[in-house]
């Protein structure tokens, strides 16, 4: 057999169809911007909370009554 015969896949048949540009209305655009703002806020809070240690210090776990 010649080299390369029967190996791999045919690149002509593996192409993905081109992505269609879908129209974005105002509601979708507003939703996307709101999600981006929420993501930024979460990341800022995570940076702020980083390095402070555990939030529940002191008596941890289930408290048992002492009778």
């Amino acid at each position: 057999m010649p080299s390369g015969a029967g190996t791999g896949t045919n690149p002509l048949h593996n192409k993905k169809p081109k992505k269609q540009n879908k129209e974005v209305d105002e509601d979708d655009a507003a939703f996307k911007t709101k999600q981006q703002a929420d993501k930024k806020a979460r990341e800022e809070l995570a940076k702020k909370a980083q390095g402070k240690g555990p939030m529940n210090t002191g008596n941890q776990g289930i408290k048992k009554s002492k009778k």
Side-chain angles (χ1 to χ4, degrees), residues 6-61:
T7 59
T9 58
N10 189 347
L12 293 175
H13 296 108
N14 291 336
K15 289 186 178 179
K16 293 181 182 177
K18 290 187 178 181
K19 190 173 186 180
Q20 297 292 330
N21 291 335
K22 62 179 182 176
E23 296 178 15
V24 179
D25 58 353
E26 294 175 11
D27 293 336
D28 290 339
F31 179 72
K32 277 189 175 185
T33 55
K34 183 181 177 213
Q35 277 195 331
Q36 288 175 348
D38 290 345
K39 185 178 179 183
K40 281 186 181 181
R42 278 196 304 272
E43 288 174 355
E44 288 175 10
L45 285 174
K47 283 182 183 179
K48 199 175 195 182
Q50 189 177 12
K52 287 190 177 180
M55 293 178 73
N56 56 349
T57 57
N59 295 331
Q60 295 178 351

